[in-house]
Amino acid sequence: MHKDFQYAGERFADIQILRYRLNGFENLTEAQRLYVYYLTEATLCGRDITFDQFGTKNLRIRKLLEHIYTSYQGNRSSAAFEALIVYLKRIWFSNGIYHHYGCEKFLPGFSQDDLLSILREMEQQGVALPEGESLDIINKELFPVMFDPDVLPKRVNKADGEDLVLTSACNFYEGVTQAEVESFYGSMKAKGGDCPPSYGLNSKLIKVDEVLLERRWTCDGLYGPALRKIVYWLEKAREVAENDQQKKVIALLVKYYKSGDLRVFDEYSIEWLKELSGQVDFINGFIEVYGDPLGLKASWEGLVEYKDLEATKRTQTISQNAQWFEDHSPVDKRFKKSVVKGVTANVICAAMLGGDEYPSTAIGINLPNADWIRAQYGSKSITIANITDAYSKAAHGNGFMEEFVIDERTQKIIDRYGDLCDDLHTDLHECLGHGSGQLLPGVDPDALKAYGNTIEEARADLFGLYYIADEKLVELGLLPDRKAYCSQYYTYMLNGLLTQLVRIEEGRQIEEAHMRNRALIARWAYEHSKGNVSLIRRNGKTYLLIHDYARLRSLFAELLAEVQRIKSEGDFEAARQLVERYAVQIDPTLHHEVLERYRKLNLAPYKGFLNPWLKPVTDDSGHIVSIDVDYSESYSEQMLRYSRDYGFL
């Protein structure tokens, strides 16, 4: 590894780009490294799918701006051109023109006339526009989406009382209303039985001559050119897989991509759960539904990983005690699993991020998402160690804690226990939280509709918050003492009540499901604490004060019991009231204060990652003999290379 490795890199807009290291990659066998390489190629081939899913004009806008960026011979130091570069970098980061977290459209820092002037200048220079484009077409079809704040303003709209399909710009529906979508898939679910597939997961729903039709994302359907490339590399990976179960898993995934059959996807998911012996694993497919306001259709994502064998001992300890945690959960017995099955948890190193996991990525993942598969076969959870390590290294000494934490004593507790408790809470959230509890018989997994994602994330977070304060974790050797959990309680409440507001533009509400979840928990606990949790003013600044951490734990237990009830019973109205009351609105005065304090720190509220470049080394006959890891690529270089080498749509 490079001794001068730098985690923190380029900054623009509200974003900082980081790098992550492939710790221990050199210790994998040659066959394992080749397996990783083929899987990473399959991961990168899906990039354009995510761009298109996030907005119908995203790919055309990206290609136009990349063409200008690489071909324009005029004044590249002008304010307009420099603003164009920032806009393009934001598009690369968000997989389109909508903010990766808040989902609102971000507008260019240059005018429509500025861009027209650049395009006309290029025309005079003899530089052709991208294929299929002309100035008239661009002006008519792209400019309104780029420059008019009222045209397709949000990728995912969750505003209560609105038609969430018609008012969302995501490219999952065409010509249909929310009521039509819910009726279409509701009739399917009525016939689905006890083990229903995830209806609508891998298709676009359109209306043709007043008839609703699904256009599936398959090798011979929508996104075919990209999916065929993914399949090519998956089949190469299958040839060098670590074991027969991995080969079976890949064969099923290929079959699914070719057929679009969701029953095959369920079969693939079950077999993927059974593969436990290999060191290398991957996620590749239409997985998470956060990008759909109705929580039905999945964005494409990819992740290649290998186990951190030492750190995995921590998560294995948790998973081996899963039944104890389920039995002692403070929820109604009706909602508990009598037998917890197949809980598998690993700490991993990411080797490649793709699609909806790139450049911004999760730090933990729990799959599969189908409730009936979790109940019958269990789940796999991962905590991504080299990503959390990069976040930690980049944040060290940045002044954030000193500005927002109430006193030096609390800061010392966070300094001592913070990283450990953050990792452990992620483990509990992913490994046990998402896999805990059960739906009552006959409850539709999608009964909570637009509120489902927020309630599910709150459920998992509350599970982790409740148990991180349990003496069982000290007994298992996962925490050094009973004081450690105070670090997590303070930082979680601080984030939910105050500091996550730095990620939201002034005047906006909370939109993203994870942010809503944290606000819901923190605000509910604050309101019900009867003064145990306070927001106090010192020297003109607002600080969080927690008087009794044990009492706060009892509130987390109470809320966990209610959130699990809502989930298990499919109580839509209770979910709506809980989310709308606690998770959406922002106090404008407090918001302004937090933003002003944060601006003085000169920090970027959002972080994302550059991938390492895995380069195959071949012998004279063309056979791959090793895989080199290159960390030298810049942000723009990587994005342009990906557009050139993996732009299949």
Side-chain angles (χ1 to χ4, degrees), residues 2-39:
H2 300 275
K3 292 182 179 179
D4 58 347
F5 186 90
Q6 296 293 317
Y7 287 93
E10 182 177 354
R11 281 188 58 177
F12 53 90
D14 56 356
I15 293 160
Q16 182 171 35
I17 300 300
L18 308 178
R19 297 182 190 272
Y20 61 94
R21 292 178 58 158
L22 269 58
N23 302 312
F25 183 76
E26 68 279 4
N27 297 326
L28 299 178
T29 67
E30 289 186 10
Q32 287 171 327
R33 279 177 280 177
L34 185 58
Y35 185 41
V36 167
Y37 169 71
Y38 288 143
L39 289 173

Side-chain angles (χ1 to χ4, degrees), residues 171-192:
N171 192 16
F172 295 135
Y173 306 101
E174 186 177 320
V176 297
T177 66
Q178 179 177 346
E180 288 173 325
V181 175
E182 291 174 348
S183 175
F184 183 85
Y185 289 113
S187 62
M188 288 185 176
K189 292 174 183 177
K191 304 173 184 177

Side-chain angles (χ1 to χ4, degrees), residues 232-246:
Y232 169 82
W233 288 107
L234 287 175
E235 289 178 332
K236 296 280 286 185
R238 185 171 181 265
E239 296 173 1
V240 296
E242 295 176 275
N243 55 57
D244 289 340
Q245 184 64 18
Q246 289 178 343

Side-chain angles (χ1 to χ4, degrees), residues 288 290 301 303 348 350 353 356-366 382-388 391 426 430 514 607 609:
E288 301 291 358
Y290 298 103
E301 68 179 59
L303 169 68
I348 61 96
L353 308 171
D356 201 10
E357 289 293 337
Y358 169 84
S360 177
T361 185
I363 59 174
I365 298 172
N366 177 275
I382 57 169
T383 301
I384 311 178
N386 55 341
I387 295 297
T388 57
Y391 278 129
T426 300
E430 299 294 348
H514 296 80
K607 308 288 191 298
F609 291 89

Side-chain angles (χ1 to χ4, degrees), residues 19-278:
R19 297 182 190 272
Y20 61 94
R21 292 178 58 158
L22 269 58
N23 302 312
F25 183 76
E26 68 279 4
N27 297 326
L28 299 178
T29 67
E30 289 186 10
Q32 287 171 327
R33 279 177 280 177
L34 185 58
Y35 185 41
V36 167
Y37 169 71
Y38 288 143
L39 289 173
T40 62
E41 290 296 296
T43 294
L44 296 174
C45 287
R47 178 173 180 251
D48 278 3
I49 297 175
T50 309
F51 267 89
D52 191 68
Q53 289 181 317
F54 285 5
T56 57
K57 302 296 191 292
N58 280 340
L59 281 173
R60 289 175 61 192
I61 293 171
R62 189 196 81 194
K63 290 176 181 181
L64 174 65
L65 296 177
E66 287 176 342
H67 180 69
I68 295 170
Y69 181 81
T70 56
S71 304
Y72 179 59
Q73 300 300 314
N75 182 9
R76 297 176 70 91
S77 61
S78 69
F81 193 82
E82 290 183 347
L84 184 147
I85 293 174
V86 172
Y87 184 59
L88 176 56
K89 288 179 177 180
R90 296 188 73 182
I91 288 172
W92 284 332
F93 190 89
S94 296
N95 293 298
I97 63 173
Y98 299 93
H99 196 280
H100 72 287
Y101 218 72
C103 293
E104 70 276 2
K105 182 165 68 176
F106 47 83
L107 298 175
F110 52 92
S111 70
Q112 183 171 320
D113 288 342
D114 288 333
L115 187 52
L116 270 175
S117 177
I118 289 172
L119 290 172
R120 286 177 179 141
E121 190 176 349
M122 292 176 66
E123 193 175 48
Q124 293 169 0
Q125 295 167 353
V127 179
L129 291 169
E131 185 178 353
E133 302 287 8
S134 69
L135 287 181
D136 286 342
I137 292 174
I138 290 169
N139 188 50
K140 182 184 298 184
E141 298 181 7
L142 299 188
F143 280 3
V145 180
M146 293 173 64
F147 293 101
D148 190 334
D150 296 323
V151 174
L152 302 175
K154 292 184 70 80
R155 177 167 66 88
V156 183
N157 181 32
K158 296 182 179 180
D160 188 31
E162 297 185 11
D163 187 312
L164 303 185
V165 171
L166 291 179
T167 57
S168 294
C170 53
N171 192 16
F172 295 135
Y173 306 101
E174 186 177 320
V176 297
T177 66
Q178 179 177 346
E180 288 173 325
V181 175
E182 291 174 348
S183 175
F184 183 85
Y185 289 113
S187 62
M188 288 185 176
K189 292 174 183 177
K191 304 173 184 177
D194 294 331
C195 302
S198 301
Y199 293 113
L201 190 75
N202 65 334
S203 66
K204 181 176 181 178
L205 187 65
I206 65 173
K207 185 188 287 185
V208 179
D209 296 329
E210 298 305 312
V211 177
L212 298 184
L213 300 172
E214 281 191 307
R215 297 187 65 191
R216 291 192 176 181
W217 307 321
T218 67
C219 289
D220 295 322
L222 283 182
Y223 304 139
L227 291 171
R228 288 193 293 272
K229 288 290 186 179
I230 292 171
V231 164
Y232 169 82
W233 288 107
L234 287 175
E235 289 178 332
K236 296 280 286 185
R238 185 171 181 265
E239 296 173 1
V240 296
E242 295 176 275
N243 55 57
D244 289 340
Q245 184 64 18
Q246 289 178 343
K247 294 178 180 179
K248 184 177 183 179
V249 167
I250 293 174
L252 284 168
L253 181 56
V254 167
K255 182 179 179 181
Y256 164 62
Y257 276 145
K258 290 181 177 180
S259 68
D261 187 338
L262 287 168
R263 297 285 184 186
V264 176
F265 178 69
D266 287 343
E267 185 181 356
Y268 152 77
S269 299
I270 292 166
E271 294 302 323
W272 176 76
L273 285 172
K274 295 177 182 177
E275 202 296 290
L276 302 175
S277 62

